[in-house]
């Protein structure tokens, strides 16, 4: 059973309940102060308590997404996982050293509201493991291929790409189960409001449980390079993706929203479009990020501060969408960033920023689910086919 599966939690619940009933039933029979009865009492208590603690630990993990699989739990970082085989979407034969490999991780089977039907009608969601050649990092992701991807008439067509990032702590499953990203994309596609695109769903916490805020940590994980180079390179090598920056977008919520805006601002030659829902504009360092993310290097920290970049560096050629609510605690900071970006945009017509604010809502999935359709429509209108 998968680490994140409901079946595992339910099995442990059943085991704990059975152990509790057995304890109540057998305790009088094990009351003697002899070795075997004493061992019996210890065994019953151990099974009961371990089952309860395991259920609590799994429930916390499933809610916050620290680990997505058994491999993720016992082999953190996953960079040295053995590769198996991969379906080559260019029409070639399976290869053993491809950067993207199929995997059973992510517990996709437990999500029951995904579009049903053949790939050429509803598209297809794949669970894959991506391994980076530049950084050596490896992580599980979901890839949604639209129905048009399987149309023989479009076999030579390259598709726009949207990289979607969850929050921290969070798993790729949160993008499918809680945010309902592919389900929403499918409904918008049926309504003619979304261009056919490859949607890649990932988490910022590539080296969970640490939160690196999608930056290259001096002497540590290079998660910025992972998202800006390794992941795009792997996708281009595996799928029929468009090549130009204007055909690539990055979107996220919470920490994923911060990462999305930062990746677009720092790498406009990769992501020509970025959307951040309830993101920060400066890297936040706290107990979850571990030691200093920048090693005390103020210059590195400044370059990851989006307001500093707007004030000190030329405005990049890209389109940004900032989404939040007027009840968010960081709403004033969001307004300041948007005002600054709009002033800078006057000096570079190729730099565009737009904003969208809900009147109410907090830092939660209720707000992000309401904001998602507008975020996807905005992104779809800007992703080009080239």
């Amino acid at each position: 059973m998968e680490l994140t599966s409901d079946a595992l939690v339910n099995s442990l619940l059943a085991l704990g309940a059975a152990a509790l009933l057995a304890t109540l039933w057998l305790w009088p029979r094990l009351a003697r102060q002899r070795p075997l009865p004493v061992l019996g009492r210890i065994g019953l208590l151990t099974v009961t308590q371990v089952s309860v603690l395991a259920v609590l630990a799994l429930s916390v993990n499933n809610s916050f997404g620290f680990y997505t699989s058994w491999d993720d739990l016992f082999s953190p970082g996953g960079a040295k996982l053995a590769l198996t085989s991969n379906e080559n979407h260019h029409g070639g034969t399976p290869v053993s050293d491809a950067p993207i490999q199929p995997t059973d991780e992510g517990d996709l089977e437990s999500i029951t509201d995904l579009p049903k039907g053949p790939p050429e009608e509803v598209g297809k969601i794949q669970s894959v493991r991506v391994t980076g050649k530049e950084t050596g990092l490896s992580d599980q992701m979901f890839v949604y291929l639209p129905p048009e991807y399987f149309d023989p008439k479009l076999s030579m067509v390259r598709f726009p790409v949207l990289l979607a990032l969850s929050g921290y702590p969070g798993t790729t499953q949160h993008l499918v189960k809680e945010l309902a990203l592919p389900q929403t994309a499918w409904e918008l596609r049926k309504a003619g409001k979304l261009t056919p695109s490859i949607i890649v769903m990932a988490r910022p916490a590539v080296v969970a449980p640490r939160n690196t805020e999608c930056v290259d940590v001096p002497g540590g994980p290079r998660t910025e390079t992972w998202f800006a180079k390794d992941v795009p390179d792997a996708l281009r090598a595996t799928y029929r993706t468009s090549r130009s920056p204007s055909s690539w977008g990055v979107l996220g919520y919470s920490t994923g929203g911060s990462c999305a805006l930062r990746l677009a601002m720092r790498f406009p030659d990769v992501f020509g479009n970025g959307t951040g829902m309830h993101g920060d504009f400066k890297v936040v360092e706290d107990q979850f990020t571990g030691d200093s993310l920048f090693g005390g290097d103020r210059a590195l920290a400044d370059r990851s501060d989006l307001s500093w970049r707007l004030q000190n560096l030329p405005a990049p050629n890209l389109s940004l969408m900032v989404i939040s609510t007027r009840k968010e605690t960081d709403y004033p900071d969001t307004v300041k960033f948007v005002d600054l970006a709009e002033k800078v945009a006057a000096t570079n017509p190729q730099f565009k920023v737009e904003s969208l604010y809900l009147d109410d809502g907090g830092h939660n999935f209720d707000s992000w689910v309401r904001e998602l359709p507008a975020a996807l429509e905005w992104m779809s209108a800007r992703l080009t086919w080239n």
Side-chain angles (χ1 to χ4, degrees):
M1 286 179 281
E2 286 290 333
L3 177 65
T4 57
S5 67
D6 292 335
L8 180 59
V9 175
N10 293 335
S11 298
L12 288 171
L13 279 173
L15 177 62
L20 177 60
L21 291 175
T23 300
L24 295 175
W25 177 258
L26 295 175
W27 196 264
R29 294 168 174 77
L30 300 174
R32 297 179 181 180
Q33 299 301 315
R34 293 180 179 179
L36 287 179
V38 170
L39 289 175
R41 295 198 299 271
I42 292 174
L44 288 172
L45 290 174
T46 300
V47 172
T48 302
Q49 294 185 24
V50 168
S51 299
V52 171
L53 290 174
V55 168
L56 291 174
L58 287 170
S59 299
V60 170
N61 183 68
N62 291 351
S63 296
F64 294 101
F66 293 111
Y67 302 99
T68 61
S69 67
W70 295 110
D71 284 335
D72 198 12
L73 175 62
F74 294 113
S75 301
K80 298 182 180 179
L81 289 177
L83 301 180
T84 54
S85 62
N86 181 60
E87 177 187 358
N88 189 310
H89 290 269
H90 295 288
T93 57
V95 293
S96 60
D97 59 349
I100 294 183
Q101 305 288 335
T103 180
D104 294 330
E105 299 171 79
D107 198 23
L108 195 60
E109 295 76 14
S110 68
I111 303 172
T112 59
D113 62 341
L114 295 174
K116 301 295 191 298
E120 60 271 17
E121 293 182 7
V122 301
K124 183 179 181 180
I125 299 179
Q126 301 176 329
S127 180
V128 300
R129 176 161 282 272
V130 181
T131 301
K133 294 182 178 180
E134 181 78 14
T135 65
L137 295 173
S138 178
D139 205 12
Q140 181 269 336
M141 300 181 184
F142 292 125
V143 177
Y144 171 72
L145 302 173
E148 292 80 3
Y149 193 90
F150 302 94
D151 187 342
K153 298 178 181 179
L154 302 177
S155 61
M156 302 301 292
V157 171
R158 295 185 176 275
F159 289 78
V161 179
L162 172 60
L163 173 63
L165 302 176
S166 67
Y168 174 87
T171 66
T172 51
Q173 194 184 77
H174 286 177
L175 290 159
V176 182
K177 198 168 186 178
E178 276 76 24
L179 191 64
L181 174 54
Q183 300 92 317
T184 304
W186 171 240
E187 292 300 321
L188 291 173
R189 181 74 191 100
K190 288 193 297 183
K193 298 180 179 180
L194 197 70
T195 189
S197 303
I198 297 173
I199 301 177
V200 182
M201 291 158 272
R203 60 173 179 170
V206 188
V207 290
R210 187 181 183 186
N211 176 20
T212 60
E213 288 281 338
C214 301
V215 305
D216 281 355
V217 181
R222 299 167 61 199
T223 48
E224 184 178 68
T225 301
W226 159 257
F227 283 117
K229 180 170 175 55
D230 279 346
V231 173
D233 285 352
L235 293 170
R236 294 187 185 103
T238 308
Y239 301 100
R240 302 195 315 271
T241 66
S242 298
R243 301 294 183 178
S244 70
S246 61
S247 62
W248 283 66
V250 56
L251 171 152
Y253 64 85
S254 189
T255 298
S258 306
C259 291
L261 294 174
R262 197 177 307 117
L263 286 168
M265 287 279 289
R266 284 178 56 80
F267 300 93
D269 56 332
V270 178
F271 303 103
N273 308 280
T275 299
M277 298 188 291
H278 300 231
D280 294 314
F281 309 99
K282 184 177 181 179
V283 174
V284 177
E285 296 188 71
D286 54 26
Q287 66 269 32
F288 301 110
T289 61
D291 295 336
S292 175
L293 292 177
F294 303 105
D297 190 326
R298 180 58 183 270
L300 284 178
D302 283 343
R303 287 197 289 271
S304 291
D305 183 330
L306 300 190
S307 295
W308 182 93
R309 294 185 68 86
L310 288 177
Q311 293 170 320
N312 295 275
L313 299 176
N317 298 340
L318 81 156
S319 297
L320 291 181
M321 166 64 90
V322 177
I323 302 177
S324 190
T325 73
R326 292 184 171 85
K327 298 295 185 180
E328 265 281 31
T329 55
D330 60 355
Y331 172 68
D333 291 335
T334 303
V335 172
K336 289 180 181 178
F337 173 81
V338 172
D339 288 344
L340 175 60
E342 289 177 343
K343 293 178 182 177
V344 172
T347 65
N348 180 7
Q350 300 302 314
F351 175 67
K352 301 175 182 178
V353 61
E354 298 180 51
S355 58
L356 175 65
Y357 305 114
L358 295 181
D359 289 331
D360 61 350
H363 202 82
N364 51 49
F365 278 105
D366 176 68
S367 298
W368 302 325
V369 167
R370 287 189 291 153
E371 295 161 356
L372 181 62
L376 288 175
E377 288 188 52
W378 180 91
M379 184 68 71
S380 176
R382 284 152 185 83
L383 293 177
T384 63
W385 290 66
N386 50 43

